[in-house]
Amino acid sequence: MKRDNIQVNDRQLACARINSEEGQNYLKSMAAAANYAWVNRSSMTFLCRQAFAKIFHSTPDDLDMHMIYDVSHNIAKIEQHMLDGKLKTLMMHRKGATRAFPPNHPLIPVDYQLTGQPVLIGGTMGTCSYVLTGTEKGMQRTFGTTCHGAGRAYSRAKSRRNLDYMTVLDNLKEKGISIRVASPKLVMEEAPESYKNVTDVVNTCHGAGISDKCIKLRPIAVIKG
């Protein structure tokens, strides 16, 4: 950054010019991580379908277990946006955020051209999550971007210090939520108390017009790897 005379407004931020060696290495590494994520989600989807098929003595197709939508977040993409009254090609890096393109945008699938891009905002394993759709107002005000989650209220370390493993499990059980977890510490780190109120966050996005509320989802089973 010093070499290229790049200044940022927060000491925690760092960046590199896209066409520099560092910038190109970052984009390649990000692409590799994104490919891993796509394959990981595809594998989990396949195994989930197989489990349901086995228990219900049916097939995933007969159970209507088709993919509705899959999207990456925390990723950089090359897009065209209006900036200072001109159409420009930009590198959009969405951290803690996801695309929320409006209806009729050429980069969203045909199935969602009339509704706008689905926006998946995950809550917590003990509350709820939401599906929203992108808006034209969001395209103008946030480059077609919305948050992808509620955001943490406690750091992971604070969650481990302040929350009790069994209490979290008991609370989930009382709500009828089944959980499978690879490590006990993940239970505290991902406890509902560790996150902000997702409904408040979603209502803020909806009220600001950057995305429209569509569906509220209630968890019945949680897998933490």
Side-chain angles (χ1 to χ4, degrees):
M1 291 171 59
K2 184 177 181 180
R3 180 196 68 198
D4 293 335
N5 195 28
I6 298 174
Q7 297 181 352
V8 293
N9 58 9
D10 190 322
R11 292 177 60 187
Q12 297 184 72
L13 298 177
C15 61
R17 300 194 183 280
I18 297 171
N19 293 324
S20 68
E21 181 180 356
E22 295 86 355
Q24 288 298 302
N25 286 339
Y26 175 83
L27 292 177
K28 292 173 184 177
S29 299
M30 182 196 68
N35 286 337
Y36 167 81
W38 283 109
V39 172
N40 193 37
R41 290 196 298 275
S42 295
S43 298
M44 289 191 292
T45 300
F46 172 78
L47 293 172
C48 183
R49 285 172 171 160
Q50 294 300 106
F52 271 77
K54 179 179 180 181
I55 294 298
F56 290 102
H57 304 288
S58 185
T59 67
D61 287 341
D62 289 340
L63 292 171
D64 198 24
M65 296 187 70
H66 61 282
M67 175 69 71
I68 296 176
Y69 198 64
D70 189 10
V71 66
S72 294
H73 55 220
N74 290 344
I75 197 168
K77 290 179 176 287
I78 297 175
E79 301 169 0
Q80 288 190 322
H81 292 276
M82 294 299 296
L83 186 65
D84 298 329
K86 298 180 180 179
L87 184 64
K88 294 188 176 183
T89 300
L90 307 173
M91 174 69 73
M92 296 301 304
H93 193 171
R94 295 180 174 90
K95 179 69 176 75
T98 186
R99 269 184 176 179
F101 286 171
N104 304 313
H105 194 283
L107 292 183
I108 60 177
V110 174
D111 289 348
Y112 301 108
Q113 281 290 315
L114 296 180
T115 62
Q117 184 171 22
V119 178
L120 311 179
I121 299 184
T124 75
M125 58 188 183
T127 53
C128 58
S129 298
Y130 288 86
V131 180
L132 296 84
T133 53
T135 66
E136 186 60 43
K137 188 175 183 180
M139 200 69 184
Q140 297 169 4
R141 300 182 67 179
T142 66
F143 298 102
T145 303
T146 296
C147 65
H148 77 74
R152 297 193 70 89
Y154 294 162
S155 68
R156 295 183 183 277
K158 187 174 181 180
S159 295
R160 292 194 298 270
R161 289 195 305 267
N162 293 2
L163 301 176
D164 178 69
Y165 172 74
M166 290 307 303
T167 299
V168 176
L169 292 182
D170 290 342
N171 289 340
L172 292 175
K173 186 176 181 180
E174 288 179 6
K175 296 177 181 179
I177 301 172
S178 177
I179 182 172
R180 299 293 183 272
V181 62
S183 170
K185 70 177 183 179
L186 287 174
V187 173
M188 289 87 79
E189 291 177 0
E190 299 297 325
E193 297 86 349
S194 298
Y195 287 85
K196 300 171 187 174
N197 187 314
V198 66
T199 299
D200 290 344
V201 173
V202 166
N203 286 340
T204 298
C205 295
H206 181 83
I210 60 175
S211 50
D212 290 333
K213 287 191 293 185
C214 182
I215 299 171
K216 181 179 180 180
L217 304 171
R218 181 179 67 86
I220 58 174
V222 178
I223 301 174
K224 292 292 182 182

